[in-house]
Amino acid sequence: MSWLMQKVSVLLFLAWVSFLFYAGIALFTSGFLLTRLELTNQSSCQEPPGPGSLPWGSQGKPGACWMPSRFSRVVLVLIDALRFDFAQPQRSRVPGEPPVSVPFLGKLGSLQRILETQPHHARLYQSQVDPPTTTMQRLKALTTGSLPTFIDAGSNFASHAIVEDNLIKQLTSAGRRIVFMGDDTWKDLFPGAFSQAFFFSSFNVRDLHTVDNGILEHLYPTMDSGEWDVLIAHFLGVDHCGHKHGPNHPEMAKKLSQMDQVIQGLIERLENDTLLVVAGDHGMTMNGDHGGDSELEVSAALFLYSPTALFSTVPPEEPEVIPQVSLVPTLALLLGLPIPFGNIGEVMAELFSGGSDSHPQASALAQVSALHINAQQVSRFLHTYSAATQDLQVKELHQLQKLFTKASASYQQLLQNPQEAEASLRTLTAELQQFLRGARAICIESWARFSLSFLLLHLLAAGTSVATTGPFIVLWQAVSAWALLATQTFYSTGHQPVFSAIHWHAAFVGFPEGHGSSTWLPALLVGANTFASHILFAVGCPLLLLWPFLCESQGPRKRQQLPGSEAEARASPEEEQEEPLMEMRLRDAPHHFNAALLQLGLKYLFVLGVQILACALAASILRRHLMVWKVFAPKFIFEAIGFIVSSVGLLLGIALVMRVDGAVSSWFRRLVLAQQR
């Protein structure tokens, strides 16, 4: 039974090394790919966000939902890569001296003029962006109010469309007419959502003007027509200029000046029931790139304006810093919509103060009411999400729930005794804000951690080696060529490491009528089609040990003699014999064969591990690159899955060879016993 224990030990050791690689992949994936469960629940006017009646008593009525709508229309101008300091009013660092002259500073003068002349009508914020600072993830965050993800464990993995509850979906459900113009990324994210759309390709980052000029061709005529409720214009020139020239270039000054003229033209056409939102989806580095989490990349501008008074106070000297996702619940309540189900943003309470002429106590109560509705919605989401998955920390959730219960009870008591409101309003506001910020913090902690601990496990796994001697040795060159051949076959069979190139039609091979409600079978077929080369070459890897023997010519051959044995060879020239066949030679060195299988397996895992380690390092180093979520992260995903498939295939291949070896050994022993008799 010793030979059986040796074989089992080889398989267990290879499985252990594979597990080390799996753990490294899991650690890296948990931080870099920002995975979370994607819920498809939707908020509705008919279902309040939490228990208890809404304070306004207007749920379900036209134009109102959880709160009465303050605006019937909104113009959202999204200036891609509008960094905060691009819009920040320019001031002299030293009194009496002119401001620093830099191409990207001081070009949005209309914002500064409005902030000075109409302080109750406008506000500039510094929008704090969650990484990754890439456009698609930013658009998802700006419409869902949740953190960005790369892999959404939802029901529609094959589509780029957003299936989570979002502002666009709520607007269409309410019958609002949405007109879009600009970046064609929106077409994939919200298919069929717009009553009218003018899409322009966003791929050519060296083209500064085509998209922006196309928008301007339709922007003002659309506004003047009045056939819209929500107008979205996504300009790309600033972003493309950053990629092509960087922010410190005269072309950046021209693009920002053009955007300033656009904003001024929109302000002149706004009506009293319309809110103007000018926002950047992310910032950019001093080189003009984005995608990572540096301070300049996560700092974007957000400007709000309305012809009617929005704020009861004047703007602070330094613009307030707010999370980017806070725009989602704010716009939803201002437009009389339910807050999207998965939102974790905090409503911008000062926008519900009622203007400069409102009573201070009534203004404070309106702000607390907006915060409470927001807190109800977030509490409902956390409860639903934690029931579906174990991502969030139980202890922190329990503490947050206690805080929300206490604040909610205080709010209900406040509604019953509004005369006592002045003493408790500030405390209640602080408690609700503490709950909302705590909820966002635990979500960030669970979904957006970045870890490089996988390096230690990879080095540990890669450093494992077994030395062996004997006839069964496979050179490193052969193992590397075998692994590279598997990769070459992956590409030569029409596959690519991008999700859009997956052969989804493979799910219906042999099943033209479909699979009914089954999901695992089509997934298995697609997976087998995609990673067929990895499976075949991994299972066939042990053949590298046997191939040299198969290539030997069969026939009479002299045995190889050791030095000093010529005399014995001359003494018996008639003893010329055939070289033993491969099967017989295995019996001469069974221990060498098992050790060689182990060494071959480790070498193959090492080569595969180097490939995935290179992909992980590339994705980490280039996490600020424009294409990180379109090229480098998908490449890592395919390599990771390919490694798992290959390692399992390798274990199966080695087990199969061992099974054959065991059968041959049993036959050989019976043959020897028969000859001895």
Side-chain angles (χ1 to χ4, degrees):
M1 295 295 292
S2 61
W3 61 271
L4 179 60
M5 293 300 298
Q6 290 177 1
K7 297 179 187 300
V8 172
S9 299
V10 168
L11 289 174
L12 289 178
F13 190 77
L14 288 175
W16 168 247
V17 173
S18 298
F19 173 76
L20 291 178
F21 280 106
Y22 298 163
I25 292 171
L27 279 175
F28 181 80
T29 303
S30 66
F32 185 75
L33 296 181
L34 313 175
T35 56
R36 63 174 169 84
L37 180 67
E38 186 179 63
L39 301 179
T40 56
N41 306 56
Q42 292 190 40
S43 301
S44 69
C45 291
Q46 289 69 34
E47 297 179 6
S53 59
L54 295 172
W56 312 101
S58 59
Q59 65 187 75
K61 295 182 180 180
C65 193
W66 296 350
M67 288 188 74
S69 60
R70 189 171 179 187
F71 296 98
S72 58
R73 288 181 169 184
V74 63
V75 177
L76 172 59
V77 178
L78 198 63
I79 302 177
D80 210 293
L82 183 65
R83 205 167 71 191
F84 171 69
D85 57 351
F86 291 1
Q88 188 176 19
Q90 234 186 338
R91 297 186 179 92
S92 300
R93 295 184 179 180
V94 180
E97 293 187 6
V100 179
S101 178
V102 181
F104 58 81
L105 293 180
K107 298 303 181 290
L108 298 179
S110 60
L111 303 187
Q112 184 169 354
R113 287 193 300 271
I114 292 172
L115 289 170
E116 293 174 353
T117 59
Q118 303 183 61
H120 294 284
H121 295 249
R123 192 74 91 241
L124 176 66
Y125 298 93
Q126 180 176 345
S127 181
Q128 194 73 18
V129 177
D130 297 300
T133 51
T134 45
T135 297
M136 188 181 76
Q137 277 72 22
R138 293 296 89 236
L139 295 182
K140 294 184 72 172
L142 279 167
T143 53
T144 64
S146 188
L147 291 177
T149 61
F150 178 70
I151 298 297
D152 295 322
S155 59
N156 198 11
F157 183 72
S159 173
H160 294 292
I162 297 177
V163 297
E164 286 182 288
D165 195 10
N166 58 78
L167 279 176
I168 304 299
K169 186 177 294 185
Q170 289 293 342
L171 286 165
T172 55
S173 298
R176 308 291 178 89
R177 299 165 297 176
I178 310 175
V179 178
F180 176 84
M181 50 192 72
D183 187 347
D184 60 355
T185 303
W186 291 72
K187 178 171 60 176
D188 296 327
L189 296 178
F190 307 101
F194 307 114
S195 59
Q196 191 177 11
F198 306 95
F199 296 113
F200 303 94
S201 175
S202 60
F203 187 76
N204 186 6
V205 296
R206 304 191 69 82
D207 183 356
L208 309 186
H209 307 293
T210 299
V211 177
D212 293 359
N213 292 342
I215 294 173
L216 293 176
E217 183 181 347
H218 302 283
L219 181 59
Y220 299 130
T222 301
M223 279 200 72
D224 296 337
S225 71
E227 297 178 356
W228 57 276
D229 298 304
V230 177
L231 178 58
I232 304 174
H234 187 165
F235 292 89
L236 292 176
V238 172
D239 179 66
H240 288 187
C241 184
H243 288 298
K244 185 177 181 179
H245 301 293
N248 286 293
H249 194 276
E251 284 296 329
M252 181 61 77
K254 294 179 182 178
K255 290 308 300 183
L256 291 174
S257 297
Q258 183 186 31
M259 294 300 100
D260 187 62
Q261 294 175 7
V262 170
I263 295 170
Q264 185 63 43
L266 291 172
I267 289 174
E268 294 172 356
R269 290 172 169 81
L270 287 181
E271 298 180 358
N272 289 336
D273 63 345
T274 306
L275 174 68
L276 173 64
V277 180
V278 179
D281 56 342
H282 52 74
M284 66 171 67
T285 65
M286 292 309 295
N287 295 325
D289 298 323
H290 59 89
D293 58 356
S294 68
E295 182 178 353
L296 292 177
E297 292 170 276
V298 300
S299 175
L302 174 62
F303 176 77
L304 304 178
Y305 172 80
S306 175
T308 57
L310 281 173
F311 306 96
S312 57
T313 59
V314 297
E317 185 175 346
E318 291 296 329
E320 182 183 355
V321 179
I322 63 166
Q324 188 182 54
V325 291
S326 295
L327 183 63
V328 172
T330 304
L331 286 181
L333 295 184
L334 287 176
L335 294 172
L337 301 171
I339 300 174
F341 189 89
N343 164 75
I344 58 170
E346 175 190 338
V347 71
M348 298 157 65
E350 61 179 340
L351 279 161
F352 300 87
S353 58
S356 57
D357 57 349
S358 60
H359 190 275
Q361 185 169 334
S363 174
L365 182 59
Q367 294 182 42
V368 167
S369 297
L371 284 168
H372 183 256
I373 291 174
N374 188 189
Q376 284 181 304
Q377 169 265 316
V378 171
S379 175
R380 180 185 64 178
F381 167 71
L382 293 178
H383 176 76
T384 306
Y385 189 89
S386 60
T389 182
Q390 304 301 316
D391 286 358
L392 305 178
Q393 298 294 327
V394 176
K395 182 179 179 181
E396 285 79 358
L397 276 177
H398 181 67
Q399 293 175 347
L400 283 173
Q401 188 58 43
K402 288 177 59 178
L403 178 61
F404 171 72
T405 302
K406 178 178 179 296
S408 187
S410 301
Y411 177 72
Q412 296 299 331
Q413 184 178 1
L414 183 66
L415 292 180
Q416 295 174 3
N417 302 287
Q419 295 81 9
E420 303 175 5
E422 189 173 354
S424 57
L425 272 174
R426 281 193 294 271
T427 302
L428 182 54
T429 299
E431 289 178 348
L432 291 171
Q433 289 177 335
Q434 182 183 355
F435 167 76
L436 290 168
R437 293 167 188 177
R440 183 170 178 269
I442 66 167
C443 291
I444 291 176
E445 175 66 21
S446 298
W447 298 337
R449 291 171 297 180
F450 185 82
S451 173
L452 287 176
S453 304
F454 78 103
L455 285 174
L456 299 177
L457 293 177
H458 270 63
L459 291 174
L460 177 61
T464 306
S465 62
V466 173
T468 184
T469 59
F472 309 105
I473 298 176
V474 180
L475 299 177
W476 276 104
Q477 294 92 321
V479 179
S480 301
W482 191 258
L484 292 175
L485 190 58
T487 302
Q488 173 62 29
T489 305
F490 173 82
Y491 287 101
S492 63
T493 50
H495 297 286
Q496 297 180 33
V498 292
F499 296 118
S500 58
I502 293 177
H503 297 173
W504 298 106
H505 57 81
F508 303 98
V509 174
F511 299 89
E513 302 300 325
H515 304 274
S517 59
S518 174
T519 56
W520 65 267
L521 182 56
L524 184 63
L525 291 173
V526 172
N529 175 273
T530 304
F531 297 101
S533 63
H534 297 75
I535 297 171
L536 293 175
F537 280 87
V539 173
C541 186
L543 297 178
L544 292 174
L545 284 175
L546 308 178
W547 179 251
F549 302 101
L550 293 176
C551 294
E552 291 178 352
S553 60
Q554 303 301 323
R557 296 175 56 192
K558 289 185 178 181
R559 285 184 179 272
Q560 294 180 351
Q561 301 294 333
L562 296 175
S565 60
E566 290 87 352
E568 182 181 349
R570 286 195 298 270
S572 54
E574 70 280 359
E575 293 182 1
E576 186 177 88
Q577 300 177 8
E578 291 187 358
E579 179 76 12
L581 295 176
M582 176 186 65
E583 291 84 352
M584 300 300 103
R585 224 177 306 175
L586 290 176
R587 309 282 60 77
D588 294 337
H591 299 291
H592 289 320
F593 183 67
N594 289 332
L597 276 176
L598 176 59
Q599 188 186 58
L600 174 63
L602 289 175
K603 285 181 176 179
Y604 196 67
L605 289 175
F606 177 83
V607 174
L608 296 177
V610 168
Q611 289 179 339
I612 188 174
L613 180 60
C615 287
L617 288 174
S620 304
I621 295 170
L622 298 170
R623 64 185 181 275
R624 291 185 176 87
H625 194 279
L626 173 66
M627 305 297 284
V628 64
W629 300 104
K630 196 167 186 177
V631 176
F632 305 113
K635 173 65 174 173
F636 167 75
I637 285 292
F638 275 80
E639 286 291 344
I641 298 175
F643 176 86
I644 295 172
V645 170
S646 297
S647 61
V648 173
L650 178 67
L651 292 175
L652 291 176
I654 291 178
L656 179 61
V657 170
M658 288 181 170
R659 178 70 182 88
V660 173
D661 181 43
V664 172
S665 298
S666 178
W667 171 80
F668 187 75
R669 285 193 298 272
R670 290 197 302 269
L671 181 63
V672 171
L673 288 175
Q675 289 178 344
Q676 290 176 350
R677 292 173 185 171

